[in-house]
Amino acid sequence: MKFVGVFVATLLAGLVSAAPGTPFRRRRADSGHRLINRIDSANANITNVSYSSNWAGAVLVGTGYTSVTGTFTVPTPTTAGSGSAWVGIDGDTCGTAILQTGVDWTKSGSSVTYDAWYEWYPDYAYDFSGITISAGNSITVTVTATSKTGGTATIKNNTTGKSVSHTFSNEGSLGSLCEYNAEWIVEDFEEGNSLVSFADFGTVVFTGASATKSGASVGVTGASIIDIEQSKVLTSVTLNSASEVTITYV
Ligand SMILES: *[C@@H]1O[C@H](CO)[C@@H](O)[C@H](O)[C@H]1NC(C)=O
Ligand SMILES: *[C@@H]1O[C@H](CO)[C@@H](O)[C@H](O)[C@H]1NC(C)=O
Ligand SMILES: *[C@@H]1O[C@H](CO)[C@@H](O)[C@H](O)[C@H]1NC(C)=O
Ligand SMILES: *[C@@H]1O[C@H](CO)[C@@H](O)[C@H](O)[C@H]1NC(C)=O
């Protein structure tokens, strides 16, 4: 009985929160994409890398970051599990909000599925409609903050130029951005309060990686590197140039 009650309440809450006339947007079971439990392990003296249980990638830390973009080829996971590649503003040294967009992958048996999503953490991630992601697609992901409580998330098919976009406005009741971080990330994301099993995704290379800092375009030079360490280190991140970040499952 209790389960039925909870289910109905959840369903009603979902229906009520969908604005009239807008298609129902699927919610993830949890907040999804955020940095948790950064380890900063003692190995940091080797390459000045930080370790996290769920983020791998490059993070610029400073002030005035209002836009982040990068292009990557959608990977094919080779072991069962999930993962996500995305760009975002905040979530490292600012924890009140994250403006982010990217692609999740899940391999189950021989089937691999993808979702393109946008998120204003601490809200859930929502799936974009009108874009179908396949392995090998070249896609450009971009977030732009137009204020600390609003902005846009865009995913563009880099082959056709066609894009889908979501506009956030007045998100301050959820949490405001600080504009302290710009990041290019592969994540072991959360569903239902626990990390999903992290699939071997091979390699994700963000090309054309750039951010806007106080109105000027900047590259990834000087970014902090974060690798995922769980029972062992699972990723290797390198900055190949001012505009390229490689994240490899190891
Ligand atoms: C730190 O670097 C030194 C010299 O390269 C190395 O011998 C040592 O093992 C490193 N420390 C850790 C904890 O890895
Ligand atoms: C390591 O990173 C910190 C913070 O980004 C920086 O201050 C420090 O100079 C770096 N150390 C080395 C050895 O690169
Ligand atoms: C991008 O466009 C190409 C060429 O039309 C198409 O094959 C691919 O499925 C598209 N991918 C996405 C993510 O839109
Ligand atoms: C994406 O498209 C741009 C032009 O729109 C092109 O310059 C760039 O090389 C493309 N990137 C990839 C990875 O295909």
Side-chain angles (χ1 to χ4, degrees):
M1 289 305 277
K2 195 175 176 192
F3 279 125
V4 173
V6 169
F7 177 72
V8 170
T10 306
L11 196 63
L12 285 176
L15 289 173
V16 167
S17 69
T22 60
F24 180 70
R25 296 178 299 185
R26 184 165 71 79
R27 289 183 164 210
R28 288 190 197 290
D30 200 0
S31 45
H33 306 86
R34 68 187 170 111
L35 178 61
I36 50 178
N37 187 25
R38 187 193 247 219
I39 296 160
D40 284 316
S41 103
N43 285 331
N45 71 331
I46 300 172
T47 52
N48 211 15
V49 167
S50 298
Y51 295 88
S52 147
S53 56
N54 69 325
W55 281 21
V59 183
L60 288 170
V61 178
T63 57
Y65 290 108
T66 55
S67 189
V68 188
T69 192
T71 297
F72 64 95
T73 299
V74 174
T76 305
T78 55
T79 60
S82 297
S84 193
W86 53 269
V87 296
I89 296 172
D90 290 337
D92 183 357
T93 56
C94 169
T96 46
I98 313 172
L99 167 54
Q100 52 191 328
T101 193
V103 170
D104 289 350
W105 50 84
T106 296
K107 179 174 169 65
S108 175
S110 59
S111 137
V112 179
T113 53
Y114 298 94
D115 291 309
W117 53 269
Y118 56 88
E119 179 172 353
W120 187 286
Y121 175 85
D123 198 359
Y124 302 94
Y126 296 92
D127 287 346
F128 275 113
S129 56
I131 189 164
T132 305
I133 306 290
S134 306
N137 288 168
S138 169
I139 64 167
T140 302
V141 285
T142 306
V143 289
T144 300
T146 47
S147 73
K148 288 181 177 166
T149 60
T152 56
T154 303
I155 297 188
K156 188 175 88 168
N157 184 331
N158 198 48
T159 309
T160 60
K162 189 180 168 231
S163 65
V164 289
S165 197
H166 177 78
T167 300
F168 298 93
S169 48
N170 301 319
E171 306 292 348
S173 59
L174 285 167
S176 296
L177 298 172
C178 311
E179 302 177 345
Y180 289 171
N181 312 128
E183 65 254 357
W184 297 262
I185 299 295
V186 168
E187 180 177 26
D188 183 1
F189 62 88
E190 275 184 295
E191 229 167 35
N193 278 323
S194 56
L195 297 180
V196 297
S197 167
F198 195 45
D200 179 347
F201 59 88
T203 298
V204 168
V205 182
F206 284 99
T207 58
S210 71
T212 304
K213 177 177 164 59
S214 304
S217 179
V218 296
V220 297
T221 305
S224 305
I225 299 303
I226 304 178
D227 275 308
I228 293 177
E229 182 176 27
Q230 294 177 348
S231 51
K232 62 188 180 84
V233 175
L234 295 178
T235 61
S236 171
V237 175
T238 54
L239 302 180
N240 308 319
S241 70
S243 63
E244 199 168 304
V245 181
T246 296
I247 306 165
T248 303
Y249 187 95
V250 294

